[in-house]
Each structure stands twice: as structure tokens, then as C-alpha cells.
């Protein structure tokens, strides 16, 4: 039996190493790849392994959705 857990992720360019880094917002799991899609595919695989034996973490995330938003931060000129 399979279930689907919807998670917020970020994908950012890795300016030092090249490629992209994908990170899950709700858990400390990240992965990388040469393209955005490769980074996302690697993150999905890492998350599947991360949640494989942790039903409590899955339940907690499913019950408490994360709200992702943007903010503006003022910096000195």
C-alpha cells in the first residue's frame, strides 16, 4: 500500500559546486543534482528512505501542514 505525503521543498542553484540543491522545508533532508529535476528526484528518494520506518513523523507532518510564504528584509544601502 502506498500513500502520498505532500511536502514543501526549495530548489536553489549551487553556485559553488554547480547544479542544484533541493531541500525539504519540514525536515532536515536535502539532495543535489545537475538539473533541478535530478535534484528533486534525488530528494524524493532520500525522503522515502527517511520516512520508511518513522510512522510518527509521517503522521505529524500530515496533520500539521506547513505554510510557505515570502518576506521582504530591509538591508542597509
Amino acid at each position: 500500500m502506498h500513500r502520498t505525503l505532500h511536502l514543501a521543498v526549495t530548489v536553489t542553484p549551487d553556485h559553488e559546486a554547480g547544479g542544484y540543491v533541493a531541500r525539504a522545508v519540514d525536515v532536515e533532508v536535502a539532495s543535489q543534482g545537475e538539473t533541478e529535476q535530478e535534484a528533486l528526484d534525488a530528494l524524493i528518494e532520500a525522503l522515502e528512505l527517511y520516512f520508511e520506518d518513522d510512522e510518527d513523523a509521517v503522521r505529524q507532518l500530515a496533520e500539521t501542514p506547513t505554510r510557505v510564504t515570502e518576506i521582504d528584509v530591509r538591508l542597509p544601502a
Side-chain angles (χ1 to χ4, degrees):
M1 181 174 100
H2 293 282
R3 296 179 295 163
T4 301
L5 181 63
H6 298 280
L7 296 174
V9 302
T10 61
V11 181
T12 55
D14 186 338
H15 297 291
E16 292 180 21
Y20 293 85
V21 175
R23 290 183 179 89
V25 173
D26 294 307
V27 293
E28 296 294 322
V29 177
S31 197
Q32 62 186 32
E34 290 296 316
T35 67
E36 288 184 42
Q37 190 60 55
E38 286 179 9
L40 287 169
D41 290 343
L43 180 61
I44 290 168
E45 184 177 343
L47 287 165
E48 288 170 347
L49 292 171
Y50 178 83
F51 289 118
E52 190 171 62
D53 295 322
D54 196 347
E55 186 60 35
D56 289 337
V58 172
R59 189 179 331 93
Q60 191 173 36
L61 284 174
E63 293 172 356
T64 312
T66 296
R67 180 173 177 260
V68 177
T69 189
E70 294 182 11
I71 62 171
D72 294 320
V73 177
R74 293 187 318 176
L75 303 174

